[in-house]
Structure formats: structure tokens, C-alpha cells
Amino acid sequence: MTSLPVIAIDGPAASGKGTLARRLAAGYGFAHLDTGSLYRAVGLSVLRAGGDPADEGQALSAAQALSPGDSVLTDPALRGDNVAHAASLVAAMVEVRAALLKFQRDFATRPPGGRGAVLDGRDIGTGICPNAEAKLFVTASVEVRAERRVKELQAAGLHAIVEIVLEDMKARDERDSRRAVAPLRPAVDAFVLDTSALDADQAFSAALTFIRSRIGPA
Ligand code: DC
């Protein structure tokens, strides 16, 4: 059996990788998995059960119980700040990552729709799908990412202070890049796309040029 194409997209928070992943998936007719939502779902499940996401046993049980059809994976509460914090705690646990590995590899090898898969996260090109046909590492300066997040929050009718969002973003970068297990870094064969000076369409066009060179036109 020949394997289906996989596009791996990694990068820090608010780099624009999610938007790119969705657009590329739609363009190629591939299935898309936002792997951050898995860590968020684990965090949310523990919080909903009244538990402590810093407790490895509780986080591991929640990770082991997660299955592809779970409604928690599409719960709007996944986007909350408390859940983002819980997700960053459980994402630093080796056993939780190991429990979610199979979920992600199954998706990549047998994606819904059967045409191909786009996975976005932090360690897709380096750890989950090291043989992906195309690897993108999407980044932007922390100031630009904080500004984008503030605009998103304001568009959702929420009050946001840029200095606070910036400090929070720096702290998340630090946690994601310095952790011992699966730290955020580009794969050696990834195309690094800095979107600091690009709008969404320009970023998409640059990403598409690279992806076409790897897997052909959509
Ligand atoms: O991208 P996000 O904010 O939804 O990710 C939530 C948390 O999960 C964040 O702390 C990074 C972590 N994460 C990870 O460690 N590995 C991934 N493949 C995806 C997300």
C-alpha cells in the first residue's frame, strides 16, 4: 500500500499556522488535525472532572480516554485561557505525549476522506510525522504574534491589553521551547516561513509555492 501525502506544519502560538493548515487542507482536499486541540482536550477533561492538570496520573488517564469522535475535541471551551494553560502543563508530560502519539499517527496514515493529511502543532515534523512529504515551520516575531492575538480577542468582543498578551506569549514560547520533551524547533528539512511582514494571503501563497514543489499542485 502506498502511503498518503502528509503536510506537517509547526510553529509557535499565533504564528498563523492554524489558518495556513486549514487553507492548505481545503485546497488539497486533505483532512486537517489541529494537534494543539488534543492537548487542550486533555486539559479540559481534567478540569471538568474537577481534577488538577498538573497531576500526571489524571492527565494520562484523560489522554488515554481520548478518541477521534469525542465531542470535547470540538468544544468551544477549548479556546479559553484556563484551558490553554492546562494544555501547556499536560503537553510537557512524556507519558501524555506518548498516549497522544498513536492518535496523531493514525490520523496521518488513515486520514478521514482518504486523500492526505495536514497536521499542525509543535512537533509534527520532528516527532509525529518525521517522514512527512512537506514540512513547514511557520513563525513571526513575538510582538507581531501578540498584536494578532489582541486583534483576535477584540474581534471576539473581549478586552485585551497588548502588554499582558505579549508577556503571556513570551512565557508560552519559553515553556514550549525549553521543555525537555518535544521542544518547539524546526525540523532540519522544514521550510521556515516568517510571516512577520506578510498578510494571510501572502503567507498562504508562499506556503503553497513550497508545498507544490513537494507534492505537486492541488
Ligand atoms: O497550539 P495550541 O495553543 O492550541 O497548543 C496548546 C498547547 O499544546 C501548547 O502549550 C503547545 C502544546 N502543543 C504541543 O506541545 N504539541 C503539539 N503538537 C501541539 C500543541
Side-chain angles (χ1 to χ4, degrees), residues 60-72:
L60 180 59
S61 302
Q64 285 167 337
L66 198 66
S67 66
D70 265 347
S71 60
V72 69

mmCIF file with all atom_site columns, all heavy atoms in Angstrom, residues 60-72:
data_model
loop_
_atom_site.group_PDB
_atom_site.id
_atom_site.type_symbol
_atom_site.label_atom_id
_atom_site.label_alt_id
_atom_site.label_comp_id
_atom_site.label_asym_id
_atom_site.label_entity_id
_atom_site.label_seq_id
_atom_site.pdbx_PDB_ins_code
_atom_site.Cartn_x
_atom_site.Cartn_y
_atom_site.Cartn_z
_atom_site.occupancy
_atom_site.B_iso_or_equiv
_atom_site.pdbx_formal_charge
_atom_site.auth_seq_id
_atom_site.auth_comp_id
_atom_site.auth_asym_id
_atom_site.auth_atom_id
_atom_site.pdbx_PDB_model_num
ATOM 1  N N   . LEU A 1 60 ? -2.784  11.649 32.282 1.00 0.00 ? 60 LEU A N   1
ATOM 2  C CA  . LEU A 1 60 ? -2.576  10.451 31.462 1.00 0.00 ? 60 LEU A CA  1
ATOM 3  C C   . LEU A 1 60 ? -3.889  9.704  31.240 1.00 0.00 ? 60 LEU A C   1
ATOM 4  O O   . LEU A 1 60 ? -4.193  9.275  30.116 1.00 0.00 ? 60 LEU A O   1
ATOM 5  C CB  . LEU A 1 60 ? -1.533  9.532  32.118 1.00 0.00 ? 60 LEU A CB  1
ATOM 6  C CG  . LEU A 1 60 ? -1.225  8.249  31.347 1.00 0.00 ? 60 LEU A CG  1
ATOM 7  C CD1 . LEU A 1 60 ? -0.712  8.550  29.939 1.00 0.00 ? 60 LEU A CD1 1
ATOM 8  C CD2 . LEU A 1 60 ? -0.201  7.392  32.105 1.00 0.00 ? 60 LEU A CD2 1
ATOM 9  N N   . SER A 1 61 ? -4.698  9.558  32.286 1.00 0.00 ? 61 SER A N   1
ATOM 10 C CA  . SER A 1 61 ? -5.990  8.863  32.122 1.00 0.00 ? 61 SER A CA  1
ATOM 11 C C   . SER A 1 61 ? -6.840  9.586  31.090 1.00 0.00 ? 61 SER A C   1
ATOM 12 O O   . SER A 1 61 ? -7.485  8.951  30.239 1.00 0.00 ? 61 SER A O   1
ATOM 13 C CB  . SER A 1 61 ? -6.780  8.816  33.430 1.00 0.00 ? 61 SER A CB  1
ATOM 14 O OG  . SER A 1 61 ? -6.038  8.190  34.410 1.00 0.00 ? 61 SER A OG  1
ATOM 15 N N   . ALA A 1 62 ? -6.863  10.933 31.158 1.00 0.00 ? 62 ALA A N   1
ATOM 16 C CA  . ALA A 1 62 ? -7.671  11.698 30.203 1.00 0.00 ? 62 ALA A CA  1
ATOM 17 C C   . ALA A 1 62 ? -7.132  11.508 28.783 1.00 0.00 ? 62 ALA A C   1
ATOM 18 O O   . ALA A 1 62 ? -7.903  11.377 27.826 1.00 0.00 ? 62 ALA A O   1
ATOM 19 C CB  . ALA A 1 62 ? -7.679  13.176 30.587 1.00 0.00 ? 62 ALA A CB  1
ATOM 20 N N   . ALA A 1 63 ? -5.797  11.467 28.639 1.00 0.00 ? 63 ALA A N   1
ATOM 21 C CA  . ALA A 1 63 ? -5.198  11.294 27.307 1.00 0.00 ? 63 ALA A CA  1
ATOM 22 C C   . ALA A 1 63 ? -5.527  9.912  26.747 1.00 0.00 ? 63 ALA A C   1
ATOM 23 O O   . ALA A 1 63 ? -5.853  9.763  25.570 1.00 0.00 ? 63 ALA A O   1
ATOM 24 C CB  . ALA A 1 63 ? -3.687  11.491 27.381 1.00 0.00 ? 63 ALA A CB  1
ATOM 25 N N   . GLN A 1 64 ? -5.477  8.900  27.621 1.00 0.00 ? 64 GLN A N   1
ATOM 26 C CA  . GLN A 1 64 ? -5.753  7.534  27.164 1.00 0.00 ? 64 GLN A CA  1
ATOM 27 C C   . GLN A 1 64 ? -7.212  7.359  26.776 1.00 0.00 ? 64 GLN A C   1
ATOM 28 O O   . GLN A 1 64 ? -7.552  6.540  25.931 1.00 0.00 ? 64 GLN A O   1
ATOM 29 C CB  . GLN A 1 64 ? -5.370  6.536  28.262 1.00 0.00 ? 64 GLN A CB  1
ATOM 30 C CG  . GLN A 1 64 ? -3.865  6.364  28.369 1.00 0.00 ? 64 GLN A CG  1
ATOM 31 C CD  . GLN A 1 64 ? -3.435  5.639  29.635 1.00 0.00 ? 64 GLN A CD  1
ATOM 32 O OE1 . GLN A 1 64 ? -4.171  5.623  30.625 1.00 0.00 ? 64 GLN A OE1 1
ATOM 33 N NE2 . GLN A 1 64 ? -2.242  5.067  29.617 1.00 0.00 ? 64 GLN A NE2 1
ATOM 34 N N   . ALA A 1 65 ? -8.086  8.156  27.409 1.00 0.00 ? 65 ALA A N   1
ATOM 35 C CA  . ALA A 1 65 ? -9.529  8.016  27.146 1.00 0.00 ? 65 ALA A CA  1
ATOM 36 C C   . ALA A 1 65 ? -9.965  8.766  25.880 1.00 0.00 ? 65 ALA A C   1
ATOM 37 O O   . ALA A 1 65 ? -11.074 8.566  25.391 1.00 0.00 ? 65 ALA A O   1
ATOM 38 C CB  . ALA A 1 65 ? -10.318 8.536  28.349 1.00 0.00 ? 65 ALA A CB  1
ATOM 39 N N   . LEU A 1 66 ? -9.101  9.630  25.339 1.00 0.00 ? 66 LEU A N   1
ATOM 40 C CA  . LEU A 1 66 ? -9.493  10.476 24.200 1.00 0.00 ? 66 LEU A CA  1
ATOM 41 C C   . LEU A 1 66 ? -9.619  9.642  22.918 1.00 0.00 ? 66 LEU A C   1
ATOM 42 O O   . LEU A 1 66 ? -8.726  8.896  22.569 1.00 0.00 ? 66 LEU A O   1
ATOM 43 C CB  . LEU A 1 66 ? -8.419  11.551 24.012 1.00 0.00 ? 66 LEU A CB  1
ATOM 44 C CG  . LEU A 1 66 ? -8.793  12.777 23.201 1.00 0.00 ? 66 LEU A CG  1
ATOM 45 C CD1 . LEU A 1 66 ? -9.872  13.588 23.923 1.00 0.00 ? 66 LEU A CD1 1
ATOM 46 C CD2 . LEU A 1 66 ? -7.552  13.649 22.978 1.00 0.00 ? 66 LEU A CD2 1
ATOM 47 N N   . SER A 1 67 ? -10.765 9.774  22.231 1.00 0.00 ? 67 SER A N   1
ATOM 48 C CA  . SER A 1 67 ? -10.914 9.053  20.961 1.00 0.00 ? 67 SER A CA  1
ATOM 49 C C   . SER A 1 67 ? -11.368 10.026 19.874 1.00 0.00 ? 67 SER A C   1
ATOM 50 O O   . SER A 1 67 ? -11.906 11.098 20.187 1.00 0.00 ? 67 SER A O   1
ATOM 51 C CB  . SER A 1 67 ? -11.900 7.900  21.123 1.00 0.00 ? 67 SER A CB  1
ATOM 52 O OG  . SER A 1 67 ? -13.167 8.417  21.381 1.00 0.00 ? 67 SER A OG  1
ATOM 53 N N   . PRO A 1 68 ? -11.136 9.691  18.586 1.00 0.00 ? 68 PRO A N   1
ATOM 54 C CA  . PRO A 1 68 ? -11.367 10.637 17.499 1.00 0.00 ? 68 PRO A CA  1
ATOM 55 C C   . PRO A 1 68 ? -12.763 11.271 17.471 1.00 0.00 ? 68 PRO A C   1
ATOM 56 O O   . PRO A 1 68 ? -12.894 12.431 17.117 1.00 0.00 ? 68 PRO A O   1
ATOM 57 C CB  . PRO A 1 68 ? -11.124 9.793  16.248 1.00 0.00 ? 68 PRO A CB  1
ATOM 58 C CG  . PRO A 1 68 ? -10.152 8.761  16.688 1.00 0.00 ? 68 PRO A CG  1
ATOM 59 C CD  . PRO A 1 68 ? -10.496 8.453  18.112 1.00 0.00 ? 68 PRO A CD  1
ATOM 60 N N   . GLY A 1 69 ? -13.795 10.550 17.876 1.00 0.00 ? 69 GLY A N   1
ATOM 61 C CA  . GLY A 1 69 ? -15.143 11.138 17.776 1.00 0.00 ? 69 GLY A CA  1
ATOM 62 C C   . GLY A 1 69 ? -15.571 11.972 18.982 1.00 0.00 ? 69 GLY A C   1
ATOM 63 O O   . GLY A 1 69 ? -16.680 12.510 19.005 1.00 0.00 ? 69 GLY A O   1
ATOM 64 N N   . ASP A 1 70 ? -14.695 12.102 19.970 1.00 0.00 ? 70 ASP A N   1
ATOM 65 C CA  . ASP A 1 70 ? -15.066 12.792 21.220 1.00 0.00 ? 70 ASP A CA  1
ATOM 66 C C   . ASP A 1 70 ? -15.559 14.218 21.008 1.00 0.00 ? 70 ASP A C   1
ATOM 67 O O   . ASP A 1 70 ? -14.890 15.009 20.336 1.00 0.00 ? 70 ASP A O   1
ATOM 68 C CB  . ASP A 1 70 ? -13.844 12.868 22.144 1.00 0.00 ? 70 ASP A CB  1
ATOM 69 C CG  . ASP A 1 70 ? -13.831 11.741 23.133 1.00 0.00 ? 70 ASP A CG  1
ATOM 70 O OD1 . ASP A 1 70 ? -14.875 11.090 23.250 1.00 0.00 ? 70 ASP A OD1 1
ATOM 71 O OD2 . ASP A 1 70 ? -12.787 11.518 23.779 1.00 0.00 ? 70 ASP A OD2 1
ATOM 72 N N   . SER A 1 71 ? -16.678 14.553 21.657 1.00 0.00 ? 71 SER A N   1
ATOM 73 C CA  . SER A 1 71 ? -17.225 15.904 21.493 1.00 0.00 ? 71 SER A CA  1
ATOM 74 C C   . SER A 1 71 ? -16.310 16.953 22.135 1.00 0.00 ? 71 SER A C   1
ATOM 75 O O   . SER A 1 71 ? -16.315 18.114 21.736 1.00 0.00 ? 71 SER A O   1
ATOM 76 C CB  . SER A 1 71 ? -18.636 15.986 22.075 1.00 0.00 ? 71 SER A CB  1
ATOM 77 O OG  . SER A 1 71 ? -18.587 15.676 23.444 1.00 0.00 ? 71 SER A OG  1
ATOM 78 N N   . VAL A 1 72 ? -15.496 16.538 23.113 1.00 0.00 ? 72 VAL A N   1
ATOM 79 C CA  . VAL A 1 72 ? -14.602 17.508 23.776 1.00 0.00 ? 72 VAL A CA  1
ATOM 80 C C   . VAL A 1 72 ? -13.623 18.123 22.764 1.00 0.00 ? 72 VAL A C   1
ATOM 81 O O   . VAL A 1 72 ? -13.155 19.255 22.933 1.00 0.00 ? 72 VAL A O   1
ATOM 82 C CB  . VAL A 1 72 ? -13.855 16.846 24.969 1.00 0.00 ? 72 VAL A CB  1
ATOM 83 C CG1 . VAL A 1 72 ? -12.844 15.809 24.497 1.00 0.00 ? 72 VAL A CG1 1
ATOM 84 C CG2 . VAL A 1 72 ? -13.162 17.886 25.845 1.00 0.00 ? 72 VAL A CG2 1
#
